[in-house]
């Protein structure tokens, strides 16, 4: 009964909001990093296969893609560590400690640590908004390409000539304006859209965007939980179970 009672007290005082936020954070970062890495690789192959035969045209793009892929490794490691720290901080400020070991009294250091986590998480959430916006750009580009292909496959949906329906990588800044050919039109574009590589890359970018959105939701949940816990610690001098 002593062991069961101890386990029950731990469950009652568990930081469920922090646990949910940690799960969302790890899931979101895994989707963003894993799918984003593979989607960038697929984009590089599509560009060099269909949009430009001259390596100098997309040399800068390749360097940017590789830099983003290296940054993804760092993002994954950082969020794994930061999410673990936030979860530990959530346990620290719950009533589990108070219920197991008696009256819980926080220290000035503990309050300062809570305030620090609130501030860092807030700044990180604001910065992640930029990441979310950037992850929406390739989804927009691929969606426009897919819409153009749908118009080519169904000519009745548009009054334009099929040969004039194109996707120009230069228009999006992916390639320089002197790149050749730089764009693909008509049935050639439709054949690209039908490839498994294009469809997989498109869906990977969507998954990466969803992962970035889940990560933002997790950060906002962390902010709410940490702010509430800090307020209780500061005003009431005891832990909560939020």
């Amino acid at each position: 009964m002593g062991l069961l009672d101890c386990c029950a007290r731990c469950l009652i005082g568990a930081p469920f909001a922090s646990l949910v936020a940690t799960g969302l954070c790890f899931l979101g970062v895994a989707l963003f990093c894993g799918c984003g890495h593979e989607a960038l690789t697929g984009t590089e192959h599509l560009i060099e296969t269909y949009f430009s035969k001259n390596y100098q045209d997309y040399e800068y793009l390749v360097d940017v893609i590789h830099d983003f892929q290296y940054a993804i490794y760092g993002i994954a490691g950082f969020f794994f560590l930061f999410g673990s720290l936030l979860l530990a901080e959530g346990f620290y400020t719950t009533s589990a400690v108070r219920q197991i070991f008696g009256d819980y009294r926080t220290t000035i250091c503990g309050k300062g640590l809570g305030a620090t986590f609130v501030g860092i998480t807030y700044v990180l959430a604001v910065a992640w908004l930029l990441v979310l916006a950037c992850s929406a750009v390739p989804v927009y580009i691929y969606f426009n390409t897919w819409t153009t292909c749908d118009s080519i496959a169904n000519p009745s949906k548009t009054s334009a000539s099929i040969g004039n329906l194109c996707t120009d990588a230069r228009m999006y800044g992916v390639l320089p304006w002197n790149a050749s050919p730089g764009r693909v039109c008509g049935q050639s574009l439709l054949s690209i859209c039908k490839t498994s590589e294009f469809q997989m890359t498109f869906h990977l970018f969507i998954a990466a965007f969803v992962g970035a959105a889940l990560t933002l939701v997790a950060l906002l949940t962390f902010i709410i939980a940490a702010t509430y816990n800090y307020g209780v610690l500061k005003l009431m001098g005891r832990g909560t179970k939020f």
Side-chain angles (χ1 to χ4, degrees), residues 2-84:
L3 179 60
L4 292 176
D5 185 60
C6 181
C7 292
R9 290 181 180 181
C10 287
L11 289 175
I12 292 173
F16 291 108
S18 297
L19 287 171
V20 171
T22 302
L24 287 176
C25 181
F26 288 168
L27 176 61
V29 171
L31 280 174
F32 175 77
C33 294
C35 296
H37 184 279
E38 292 303 313
L40 289 172
T41 300
T43 299
E44 178 183 345
H45 188 262
L46 287 171
I47 290 295
E48 66 185 9
T49 302
Y50 302 107
F51 289 89
S52 180
K53 302 299 182 181
N54 186 359
Y55 178 75
Q56 293 182 344
D57 290 339
Y58 57 88
E59 181 180 8
Y60 177 73
L61 174 66
V62 171
D63 292 337
V64 172
I65 287 176
H66 291 170
D67 289 340
F68 271 117
Q69 288 176 329
Y70 287 129
I72 282 174
Y73 299 139
I75 290 173
F78 170 79
F79 270 96
F80 177 79
L81 177 61
F82 189 69
S84 300

Side-chain angles (χ1 to χ4, degrees), residues 147-165:
T147 302
T148 303
C149 289
D150 184 62
S151 299
I152 296 173
N154 301 280
S156 60
K157 293 184 177 181
T158 178
S159 59
S161 172
I162 293 178
N164 294 328
L165 296 175

Side-chain angles (χ1 to χ4, degrees), residues 171-220:
M171 181 179 66
Y172 299 107
V174 177
L175 293 174
W177 282 107
N178 59 352
S180 179
R183 69 174 185 171
V184 181
C185 303
Q187 293 298 326
S188 297
L189 179 60
L190 181 60
S191 64
I192 295 174
C193 292
K194 289 182 177 180
T195 61
S196 59
E197 185 175 20
F198 174 86
Q199 296 178 14
M200 178 62 70
T201 303
F202 182 24
H203 289 94
L204 285 173
F205 271 124
I206 293 176
F209 175 76
V210 172
L214 287 176
T215 304
L216 181 61
V217 172
L219 290 174
L220 293 177

Side-chain angles (χ1 to χ4, degrees), residues 122-183:
Y122 178 81
V123 173
L124 189 59
V126 173
W128 195 255
L129 282 172
L130 179 61
V131 176
L132 180 64
C134 291
S135 64
V137 173
V139 175
Y140 170 76
I141 295 175
Y142 274 87
F143 178 76
N144 280 349
T145 303
W146 178 82
T147 302
T148 303
C149 289
D150 184 62
S151 299
I152 296 173
N154 301 280
S156 60
K157 293 184 177 181
T158 178
S159 59
S161 172
I162 293 178
N164 294 328
L165 296 175
C166 308
T167 290
D168 195 335
R170 300 168 299 182
M171 181 179 66
Y172 299 107
V174 177
L175 293 174
W177 282 107
N178 59 352
S180 179
R183 69 174 185 171

